[in-house]
């Protein structure tokens, strides 16, 4: 089915907004409409994203609901806490647009989790934009809900990596989700484009730096929410992200105890069953091949591997993604395609960039 639609991108000057535009330029049915920003309004997009040559001369408008309204799709690539107000204004104005929120405002179902980790009033949960997510209660993947969605909460990038790494073991009863340990190496673009001293090149180059340690990272309740959806009765997660001196990419190493009675030789079969031909963007690597961020740079792809540490009695699952593509903008395009009745793969590639 051929369908042409217009897309407005709010927050176009940021990393997530720029990556969304890069993908939309390759989408055969998308027409790029309004581009908006906050402090950068009135300036050309090329000052922020010179690599987006076809759009470099476009002037950034203010992020105003009246400017965004009238488009078929609105992408909100805004700071956490800003999307809810804009989306509410669009709804009040009677906009029929499909709204994709790349921020956190509508990801969490539990208001208490939101208030604890974000410190403001909960704006309500939207359909969750991770098509590959297992829904144990229905036996389906999340893509089935996205086919009916008009509002989508795009996942956190770290959340995507941890979820895709471990969910086959949770859904298959292979691991005990009551003792999950996740350590992530994260590229600096995951911290956004704000000017902060610890994000300067002089501070980042040659340096590995942990952040949001000891259960304080805002992605913790979102990961726990996903693992419960995949079938875990109880989730206890120790999550430690580490900034790595690369521009983009996440490498998640996730471990959990192997359940009693599960033969180590049978573990890989659960991952093979979960990530077969039906998942075009998740690749279970050959045994003995370990994921790396270079495998997926620039691609809407997740590289996954699983092994058993028999000495420790734990399953070790790894996942590499590009935080700006599969971790953000690519997930938004996947969800957009499903909601508009297009093939999920339209405008997306699993081919990366190297070196």
């Amino acid at each position: 089915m051929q369908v042409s639609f217009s897309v407005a991108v709010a927050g176009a000057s940021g990393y997530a907004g720029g990556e969304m535009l890069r993908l939309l330029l390759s989408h055969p049915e998308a027409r790029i409409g309004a581009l908006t920003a906050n402090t950068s309004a009135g300036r050309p997009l090329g000052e922020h994203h010179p690599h987006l040559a076809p759009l470099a001369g476009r002037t950034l408008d203010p992020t105003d609901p009246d400017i965004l309204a009238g488009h078929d799709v609105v992408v909100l690539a805004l700071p956490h806490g800003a999307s809810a107000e804009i989306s509410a204004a669009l709804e009040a104005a009677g906009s029929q647009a499909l709204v994709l929120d790349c921020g956190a405002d509508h990801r969490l179902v539990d208001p208490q989790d939101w208030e604890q980790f974000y410190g403001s009033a909960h704006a309500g949960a939207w359909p969750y934009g991770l098509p590959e997510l297992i829904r144990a209660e229905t036996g389906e993947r999340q893509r089935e809900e996205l086919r009916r969605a008009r509002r989508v909460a795009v996942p956190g990038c770290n959340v995507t990596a941890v979820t895709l790494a471990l969910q086959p073991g949770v859904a298959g009863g292979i691991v005990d989700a009551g003792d999950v340990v996740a350590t992530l190496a994260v590229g600096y673009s995951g911290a956004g484009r704000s000017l902060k001293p610890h994000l300067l090149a002089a501070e980042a180059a040659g340096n590995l730096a942990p952040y949001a340690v000891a259960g304080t990272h805002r992605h913790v309740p979102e990961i726990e929410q996903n693992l419960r959806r995949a079938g875990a009765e109880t989730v206890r997660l120790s999550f430690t992200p580490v900034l790595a001196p690369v521009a983009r990419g996440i490498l998640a190493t996730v471990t959990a105890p192997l359940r009693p009675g599960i033969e180590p030789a049978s573990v890989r079969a659960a991952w093979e069953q979960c990530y077969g031909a039906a998942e075009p963007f998740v690749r279970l690597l050959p045994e003995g091949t370990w994921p790396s961020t270079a495998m997926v740079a620039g691609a809407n792809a997740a590289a996954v591997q699983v092994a058993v540490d028999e000495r420790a009695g734990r399953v070790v699952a790894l996942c590499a993604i590009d935080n700006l593509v599969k971790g953000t903008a690519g997930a938004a395009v996947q969800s957009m395609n499903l909601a508009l009745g297009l093939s999920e793969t339209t405008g997306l590639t699993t081919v990366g960039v190297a070196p």
Side-chain angles (χ1 to χ4, degrees), residues 104-118 120-126 221-222 224-225 228-229:
D105 293 29
H106 302 283
R107 295 172 184 164
L108 297 179
V109 173
D110 188 336
Q112 291 185 343
D113 281 343
W114 174 268
E115 291 165 8
Q116 177 184 349
F117 282 84
Y118 292 89
S120 60
H122 187 234
W126 288 358
E222 191 181 340
E224 294 175 342
Q225 177 177 280
R228 287 193 296 270
R229 284 174 170 169

Side-chain angles (χ1 to χ4, degrees), residues 8-22 32-52 55-56 58-63 68 75-79 189 192-195 324:
V9 177
S13 61
Y15 289 139
E19 195 71 359
M20 190 73 193
L21 291 171
R22 184 178 74 87
I32 298 174
L35 308 179
T36 80
N38 185 12
T39 57
S40 300
R43 308 299 302 171
L45 180 72
E47 288 188 1
H48 303 277
H49 300 302
H51 63 295
L52 301 177
L55 302 173
R58 292 276 302 273
T59 299
L60 293 164
D61 292 316
T63 300
L68 299 172
V75 178
L76 302 177
L78 302 172
S189 60
R193 206 165 193 171
S194 299
L195 293 177
L324 292 176

Side-chain angles (χ1 to χ4, degrees), residues 49-233:
H49 300 302
H51 63 295
L52 301 177
L55 302 173
R58 292 276 302 273
T59 299
L60 293 164
D61 292 316
T63 300
D64 186 316
D66 291 336
I67 293 174
L68 299 172
H71 292 79
D72 300 307
V73 179
V74 175
V75 178
L76 302 177
L78 302 172
H80 302 320
S83 298
E85 181 179 351
I86 297 293
S87 60
L90 287 169
E91 186 170 352
S95 172
Q96 299 299 307
L98 166 65
V99 181
L100 307 165
D101 183 10
C102 294
D105 293 29
H106 302 283
R107 295 172 184 164
L108 297 179
V109 173
D110 188 336
Q112 291 185 343
D113 281 343
W114 174 268
E115 291 165 8
Q116 177 184 349
F117 282 84
Y118 292 89
S120 60
H122 187 234
W126 288 358
Y128 192 71
L130 183 58
E132 300 88 355
L133 178 64
I134 297 169
R135 298 299 299 265
E137 74 277 16
T138 64
E140 297 178 333
R141 302 293 169 101
Q142 181 65 12
R143 61 173 47 85
E144 299 309 317
E145 182 176 359
L146 292 169
R147 295 186 203 280
R148 305 182 294 272
R150 299 306 299 170
R151 297 286 187 271
V152 175
V154 179
C157 53
N158 295 313
V159 181
T160 294
V162 175
T163 301
L164 294 179
L166 195 63
Q167 68 166 358
V170 173
I174 302 294
V175 300
D176 177 7
D179 180 15
V180 177
V181 178
T183 303
L184 282 71
V186 182
Y188 270 75
S189 60
R193 206 165 193 171
S194 299
L195 293 177
K196 299 175 182 177
H198 75 285
L199 301 180
L200 296 174
E203 303 291 335
N207 187 31
L208 293 168
Y211 65 102
V213 177
T216 61
H217 197 288
R218 290 171 168 179
H219 286 170
V220 167
E222 191 181 340
I223 295 169
E224 294 175 342
Q225 177 177 280
N226 284 358
L227 297 182
R228 287 193 296 270
R229 284 174 170 169
E233 293 184 7

Side-chain angles (χ1 to χ4, degrees), residues 255-277:
T255 77
L258 184 67
R259 285 192 177 277
I262 302 295
E263 290 295 326
S266 69
V267 170
R268 183 176 174 85
W271 271 254
E272 290 174 340
Q273 182 178 358
C274 184
Y275 297 138

Side-chain angles (χ1 to χ4, degrees), residues 254 264 267-268 271 288 290 305-310 314-318:
V254 189
V267 170
R268 183 176 174 85
W271 271 254
W290 304 106
Q305 185 58 279
V306 64
V308 178
D309 183 341
E310 295 190 44
R314 297 181 73 87
V315 170
V316 181
L318 295 95

